[in-house]
Amino acid sequence: NAGVTQTPKFRILKIGQSMTLQCTQDMNHNYMYWYRQDPGMGLKLIYYSVGAGITDKGEVPNGYNVSRSTTEDFPLRLELAAPSQTSVYFCASSSEGLGGTEAFFGQGTRLTVV
Amino acid sequence: GESVGLHLPTLSVQEGDNSIINCAYSNSASDYFIWYKQESGKGPQFIIDIRSNMDKRQGQRVTVLLNKTVKHLSLQIAATQPGDSAVYFCAERMASGTYKYIFGTGTRLKVLA
């Protein structure tokens, strides 16, 4: 059981470039999330999705876009990368199980914008 | 918006001692709380959770206490081991039905040999 898989693990972008961070989960979870983690800071929610075809903004959505065409995949798109987007990005998923709804996280993507 | 915070950014404990990590939350409507452990270079891992209708929950070597009166959450780790060294986050689920989680800034736990 792979859980939540993110690619790539590391990436360096130049200012103004674009890229897509990939996230896939094999747990059939309806809920998926993208967070960014800056040094010494808590995780900040960028976007989330409650099911295929449905997405919504989190706390810090500016500069990002998402899509959710399937239950499994939730890619995060960066258009016109800026140094302020240098961060570690985590994708997560969760279910609506009665036992709890903890989020399962991927290993993260470390992005540097230079 | 409201957010979750932590009292102590770094906690150092002797191996074998008990650790207590604290968290203050500000949203009185939050109905579900989680503690995560994050080791260096890895994603957060679930440790234990608690619903707002409970005030205590125990796991293996860990206990979470919830005090809704003062909006305080704590994680107790018994007989702390070197493998417990990590950053610990508390998180709250906003009671909006959207399953959004708000995370605190984290506490780094250092276990001294």
Side-chain angles (χ1 to χ4, degrees):
Chain A
N1 189 341
V4 179
T5 303
Q6 290 182 237
T7 56
K9 287 187 170 57
F10 302 94
R11 184 70 186 269
I12 298 175
L13 279 181
K14 293 184 179 179
I15 295 172
Q17 287 185 320
S18 61
M19 76 164 294
T20 299
L21 282 66
Q22 301 291 344
C23 176
T24 188
Q25 52 94 6
D26 61 1
M27 298 173 281
N28 201 33
H29 286 168
N30 284 327
Y31 298 85
M32 295 189 74
Y33 315 82
W34 273 106
Y35 290 91
R36 60 178 287 171
Q37 185 178 42
D38 299 321
M41 302 293 288
L43 294 165
K44 297 295 185 183
L45 182 64
I46 304 171
Y47 270 94
Y48 68 103
S49 169
V50 301
I54 306 169
T55 63
D56 206 350
K57 296 178 180 179
E59 301 172 79
V60 289
N62 292 341
Y64 308 94
N65 279 299
V66 294
S67 60
R68 186 89 183 274
S69 57
T70 66
T71 299
E72 295 78 18
D73 300 306
F74 190 41
L76 177 72
R77 179 80 177 165
L78 279 72
E79 305 282 3
L80 297 174
S84 61
Q85 293 178 303
T86 294
S87 189
V88 180
Y89 291 83
F90 289 101
C91 178
S93 71
S94 66
S95 69
E96 301 173 87
L98 293 177
T101 58
E102 74 266 21
F104 295 85
F105 285 81
Q107 292 295 297
T109 296
R110 184 175 295 276
L111 175 68
T112 302
V113 181
V114 296
Chain B
E2 295 179 305
S3 62
V4 176
L6 290 174
H7 294 307
L8 301 172
T10 303
L11 176 66
S12 297
V13 298
Q14 291 291 331
E15 181 178 354
D17 287 352
N18 297 333
S19 302
I20 299 176
I21 300 171
N22 297 304
C23 174
Y25 66 94
S26 57
N27 187 350
S28 57
S30 292
D31 67 342
Y32 179 62
F33 304 87
I34 309 170
W35 279 101
Y36 283 92
K37 173 185 180 183
Q38 186 176 24
E39 295 175 283
S40 181
K42 297 184 178 180
Q45 290 180 292
F46 172 87
I47 301 174
I48 191 167
D49 59 359
I50 189 167
R51 295 188 181 276
S52 59
N53 61 354
M54 304 170 67
D55 54 20
K56 181 179 180 179
R57 191 163 189 221
Q58 288 184 295
Q60 187 176 9
R61 281 201 310 119
V62 294
T63 300
V64 55
L65 299 177
L66 176 62
N67 186 330
K68 293 181 289 293
T69 301
V70 295
K71 289 183 276 190
H72 185 267
L73 193 69
S74 69
L75 176 70
Q76 300 178 2
I77 304 173
T80 310
Q81 302 170 359
D84 295 328
S85 292
V87 175
Y88 291 81
F89 297 95
C90 63
E92 61 179 313
R93 185 180 73 180
M94 314 301 280
S96 62
T98 61
Y99 297 90
K100 288 192 295 183
Y101 296 87
I102 304 297
F103 288 80
T105 54
T107 292
R108 182 173 300 280
L109 176 64
K110 293 184 178 180
V111 181
L112 307 174

